[in-house]
Amino acid sequence: MAPQPDLVVVGAGHAGCEAALGAARMGARVVVVTLRRDTVAQMPCNPAMGGIGKGHLMAEIDALGGVQAWAADRAGLQFRVLNRSRGAAVWGPRVQCDKARYSLLMLRLLERARNISLIEGEAVGLIGGGGRIEGLRLGDGRRVTGRAVLLTTGTFLGGLLHTGDERRDGGRFGEPASHGLGRDLAGLGLELRRYKTGTPPRLHRDSLDYARLREQRGDESPLPFSWRTREVRNRVSCWVTRTPPLVRTIVNENLDRSPLYSGRIAGTGPRYCPSIEDKVVRFPDHEEHTVFLEPEGLTTPSVYVNGLSTSLPRDVQERIVHAVPGLERACFLRHGYAVEYDVVAAVQVGRTLRVRGLDNLYLAGQVLGTSGYEEAAAQGLLAGVNAILEGRSREPLCLGREEAYIGVLIDDLITRDHREPYRMMTSRAEHRLLLGVDSARERLMARGVALGLVPERAFHVERRRWKARDRVAAALESERVNSDNETAAALLDLAGVDLRRATTWAALLRRPDLEAGAVAARIPGLAELSDEDRSVVVSRLRYAGYLERHQRERERVRRLRARRIPETLLAGGAPGLSREVAELLAHHQPATLADAEQLPGMTPAAMAILAGRVASEGRKTGAGGDPGG
C-alpha cells in the first residue's frame, strides 16, 4: 500500500500550484485534485501579473522559492514598471503573459515533480469529523485521504455565471461549479459569504483599427521578475483607447438589464476593479474611461479588453464596444460575464491559514475572499509550506507586516473583517519604504533557503550582489569631490551641477536635480554595477533619512513580536483593560504584542496596559524584559 500523502490540494490554480510545488520541494508527498489537467494555472481574467502592490507580492514569492515569477518571465510578452514617476518603493513591475504558455509551464512543473500525483476529478465533499479532516470524496466515488487538506477552490464554490438575463452554473467559462464542498464547509460551522467578480469581452486582434489606437510599448531595458531568469524581452505592444460619452449613455439606458442593478446578483464585487456599469454609476462626472487592449498570447488572436468588464446582455456589450474609437468593427470571440461565488470569511483562519478549531484543514486563494493571481499564489505558498511544517511539529512560516507584503496580506485577512474582495495595494503597508521590490530577496531569501525552497548557491550569488551594493554605497558616503578639479568641471558639463564647495558623491546623488545615469561613469564603483543595482544604490541614498526612521519603527515592532501574550491574559483580560478590548483579545487570540497592536480598536492606552501585564507575567516566569513599548 502506498504511503499516505502529507498534503492533499484541491484545485490547481495559482494558489494550488504554489502550495503543491512548495510542499513537494520540502520532501512532502502531495496529491493535487483538479477537474482537468488542461486548466492548470489558468488565467481566466487578464493574463497579466504584477503591478503596484501585486508586483511586490510576486517578488516576495520568488524570494521564498515560489515559481510564479519564473513562469511569468518565461511566458512574458511585455514587461513594464508602473508608477515610475514616484519613489522606487512603490514601483510596480508588471508583465503581460501568454496565458497558454504560462498554464503549460505550470502543468509541466506539476507533472515532473517526483513527489506530486495529479488526479483529475471533482471534489464533492470532505471526509472526517471530531475536529479533524481526513480527506476528500470525489464525484466518481473515489476517496483521497491525507495528513492535511488544502482547499484552493477559487470561484467554484456555488459559482453562477451571469450575462444579462442568462444565468448558468459555473466557476468560470466552460467549467462547472462546486456545491458539495460549500455545504460541507458550512456544516463545519464556517461562515460563508457571497462575492462577485467579472471579466470583459475578448476581441479578435485582426478586427481592431490600430490607426485609431495609441501604442503602449514595454520598457526599453526590461528586467526579469525572478532570480532564476537572466534576461527577458518584449514581444508585443499593447494598445490604449478611451470610451466616448456615448458609452455612458448606452450603459444608463440599459441598467435595468444589468444583473448587477436588477437584483439578480447578490454578491459583493471588487471595489478596485469595477465593471463599466459600476464606473458609469459611481463616477457620473467622468465622460470617458480608459480602455487597454492587451494580447492574450502569441498563438491566439484573442485580445483582452481591460477596462470594459461587464455582465450586460450580449447585444448591449456589442453596442458599447463598437462605440469605442478603434473598435468600431471589432469581432467578438467571447462576451463578458460576471461570476458569483461563495467564500469563507477569512477571520476564521489563523496565520498559517489553517482553519481555527480544525487540526489539518487549510484554505488559500479566492476562497478566502481575495482577488488576483498574486494574492492567491502568496497564500498558496504559505499554506502549503505551513501544512508540512506543522505536520512535522516545526515552527511555522509567519511573516509580520514589517517584514513583507505577504505579512500585510495575511494580517489584513485574519484580523480585518473584509466584506468585499481583497486586493493588495502599497498603501496597505505601513512600512512600504522598507518593503520595495528591490529588497525582497534581502528580506526573505534566507528563509527560502532554510525551508529548502531556494538553492544555497543561488542565495550566495545574490548575497554577493547585496554586499557589492553596500560597499559602493559606503564608498560614496566617504569619497569626497573637490570643487576645483576635473570632476567638478565634468559635473557642470554633464548634469548642469555647479559644484561650489567640496562634498561627497552620496550628497551629490541625493540631489533630485542630478540624473545618476548621466554621471555614473565618473563615479568610482557605481559605474561597475548593473543598471538595476545602480538604481537601488541611488534610491536608498536619496531616501536614507526616511529609511532610517522606518527601520527604527520596524525594530520596535520586532521587539513587540518577540513578546508573546500568555493565554491567561487572552482568556480573562488584564486589569485596566475595557470590556471591549478584553473581548477583542479573546476573539482574535493575538500571539504577540505586535499582533495585538494591529487589531482594530486597540488604542495606545490599551497597548500600554497590555504590554505592562505581559512584562509582569514574564518576570514571574523568568521570561521578562523590555516589552518593546
Side-chain angles (χ1 to χ4, degrees):
M1 179 181 292
Q4 188 180 46
D6 299 294
L7 179 64
V8 177
V9 180
V10 181
H14 302 277
C17 286
E18 290 289 359
L21 291 165
R25 285 199 301 278
M26 295 172 69
R29 295 179 298 276
V30 183
V31 170
V32 178
V33 179
T34 182
L35 282 169
R36 297 190 344 232
R37 300 173 89 89
D38 61 352
T39 61
V40 164
Q42 272 206 336
M43 295 183 173
C45 201
N46 191 357
M49 287 190 175
I52 302 167
K54 292 170 174 283
H56 294 73
L57 286 175
M58 285 184 69
E60 293 178 354
I61 294 166
D62 185 65
L64 288 168
V67 297
Q68 186 177 67
W70 171 86
D73 281 342
R74 278 154 180 74
L77 299 175
Q78 186 193 82
F79 297 81
R80 294 175 60 229
V81 176
L82 310 184
N83 228 17
R84 273 202 186 273
S85 62
R86 302 184 64 187
V90 293
W91 288 355
R94 181 183 188 271
V95 55
Q96 188 76 19
C97 292
D98 184 316
K99 62 190 300 181
R101 178 161 172 75
Y102 184 94
S103 180
L104 181 60
L105 285 166
M106 284 296 197
L107 175 60
R108 285 176 177 169
L109 286 178
L110 292 177
E111 289 179 331
R112 293 173 182 176
R114 287 178 298 176
N115 296 353
I116 296 178
S117 299
L118 193 60
I119 294 177
E120 286 188 317
E122 181 186 1
V124 297
L126 298 171
I127 302 171
R132 182 172 179 81
I133 301 301
E134 298 173 358
L136 306 168
R137 290 181 289 105
L138 303 187
D140 58 7
R142 285 178 293 170
R143 294 160 65 93
V144 181
T145 60
R147 293 186 174 90
V149 175
L150 169 60
L151 302 184
T152 67
T153 49
T155 59
F156 283 78
L157 291 186
L160 279 176
L161 307 182
H162 297 264
T163 304
D165 290 331
E166 301 173 30
R167 189 172 73 171
R168 58 195 184 279
D169 273 8
R172 60 190 174 207
F173 184 81
E175 295 185 65
S178 170
H179 297 286
L181 280 179
R183 285 193 295 268
D184 282 4
L185 289 171
L188 291 171
L190 295 176
E191 179 190 354
L192 302 184
R193 294 173 181 170
R194 198 75 170 155
Y195 278 4
K196 167 260 173 191
T197 188
T199 191
R202 272 47 163 204
L203 307 178
H204 197 294
R205 65 186 174 203
D206 295 339
S207 66
L208 310 184
D209 184 356
Y210 292 96
R212 304 199 64 190
L213 305 174
R214 176 167 60 86
E215 187 176 13
Q216 186 180 68
R217 298 186 177 187
D219 288 343
E220 195 169 308
S221 300
L223 295 174
F225 276 83
S226 178
W227 51 265
R228 300 174 176 92
T229 309
R230 291 190 176 182
E231 62 179 6
V232 293
R233 63 188 180 95
N234 294 309
R235 300 168 183 267
V236 301
S237 288
C238 296
W239 304 84
V240 184
T241 184
R242 291 183 68 81
T243 62
L246 176 58
V247 166
R248 185 178 60 176
T249 301
I250 295 171
V251 171
N252 280 324
E253 289 175 349
N254 290 276
L255 278 179
D256 61 323
R257 301 181 65 194
S258 165
L260 281 176
Y261 290 94
S262 65
R264 285 190 293 276
I265 290 180
T268 305
R271 179 190 303 266
Y272 300 104
C273 189
S275 66
I276 187 62
E277 302 97 289
D278 275 334
K279 291 178 184 177
V280 167
V281 172
R282 288 164 51 184
F283 310 109
D285 297 332
H286 292 205
E287 293 196 350
E288 297 182 342
H289 298 279
T290 304
V291 176
F292 300 90
L293 300 162
E294 299 169 329
E296 292 201 309
L298 294 177
T299 58
T300 174
S302 181
V303 173
Y304 183 91
V305 189
N306 191 354
L308 285 185
S309 176
T310 182
S311 58
L312 283 161
R314 298 169 191 268
D315 62 304
V316 180
Q317 291 188 35
E318 292 171 12
R319 287 181 60 197
I320 289 172
V321 167
H322 292 151
V324 177
L327 309 185
E328 292 89 349
R329 294 178 177 81
C331 174
F332 277 65
L333 297 178
R334 183 191 301 172
H335 290 78
Y337 64 90
V339 55
E340 197 177 7
Y341 57 100
D342 289 333
V343 303
V344 176
V347 291
Q348 299 168 110
V349 302
R351 293 198 177 277
T352 63
L353 297 185
R354 178 166 53 83
V355 176
R356 299 181 195 273
L358 290 172
D359 286 344
N360 60 341
L361 179 63
Y362 296 77
L363 305 176
Q366 280 186 281
V367 70
L368 284 179
T370 59
S371 65
Y373 312 135
E374 305 84 355
E375 290 90 341
Q379 294 170 69
L381 180 61
L382 194 80
V385 165
N386 280 326
I388 303 309
L389 291 175
E390 291 191 309
R392 296 172 178 173
S393 299
R394 288 176 55 189
E395 188 72 19
L397 174 63
C398 295
L399 300 171
R401 300 180 70 90
E402 75 285 359
E403 296 177 286
Y405 274 90
I406 296 177
V408 175
L409 167 67
I410 301 304
D411 191 68
D412 279 351
L413 288 178
I414 69 173
T415 65
R416 291 159 169 78
D417 195 13
H418 294 279
R419 298 282 174 165
E420 61 187 38
Y422 178 96
R423 175 179 179 169
M424 178 51 68
M425 298 175 291
T426 54
S427 60
R428 297 190 189 274
E430 302 89 341
H431 306 281
R432 56 184 170 273
L433 285 183
L434 300 176
L435 303 182
V437 169
D438 60 0
S439 69
R441 296 174 198 173
E442 292 173 85
R443 289 183 278 116
L444 300 173
M445 207 168 186
R447 296 208 186 191
V449 173
L451 291 167
L453 303 180
V454 175
E456 287 196 21
R457 63 182 182 276
F459 177 60
H460 292 320
V461 169
E462 288 296 323
R463 191 162 55 179
R464 284 197 293 270
R465 287 182 61 199
W466 310 334
K467 289 181 176 179
R469 292 194 304 224
D470 290 343
R471 282 196 302 269
V472 171
L476 294 174
E477 291 283 9
S478 59
E479 185 86 21
R480 297 194 68 76
V481 186
N482 296 317
S483 58
D484 58 352
N485 63 12
E486 181 184 344
T487 303
L491 280 171
L492 181 61
D493 181 52
L494 285 171
V497 174
D498 187 3
L499 193 62
R500 298 181 182 276
R501 61 179 180 273
T503 184
T504 64
W505 283 116
L508 275 173
L509 288 169
R510 289 190 180 104
R511 294 177 57 153
D513 60 337
L514 181 75
E515 172 53 49
V519 298
R522 297 279 182 172
I523 302 178
L526 196 59
E528 282 73 41
L529 296 179
S530 68
D531 290 345
E532 181 182 3
D533 287 337
R534 189 183 306 143
S535 174
V536 170
V537 169
V538 173
S539 175
R540 292 181 184 179
L541 285 173
R542 288 182 169 175
Y543 287 92
Y546 299 100
L547 291 170
E548 288 171 7
R549 188 184 314 159
H550 276 259
Q551 186 63 42
R552 288 194 298 270
E553 172 60 17
R554 181 159 70 176
E555 290 306 318
R556 185 190 71 84
V557 174
R558 282 178 174 169
R559 292 197 302 272
L560 290 176
R561 192 166 300 286
R563 302 310 310 274
R564 303 192 70 82
I565 304 174
E567 292 184 5
T568 52
L569 295 183
L570 294 175
L577 291 179
S578 68
R579 178 180 297 178
E580 179 185 3
V581 171
E583 291 175 352
L584 193 69
L585 294 173
H587 176 71
H588 289 284
Q589 296 286 302
T592 69
L593 286 176
D595 298 334
E597 188 176 46
Q598 292 298 323
L599 296 178
M602 279 298 290
T603 65
M607 274 302 300
I609 294 170
L610 182 60
R613 292 295 300 167
V614 168
S616 176
E617 292 292 319
R619 286 191 292 271
K620 292 178 184 177
T621 60
D626 176 20

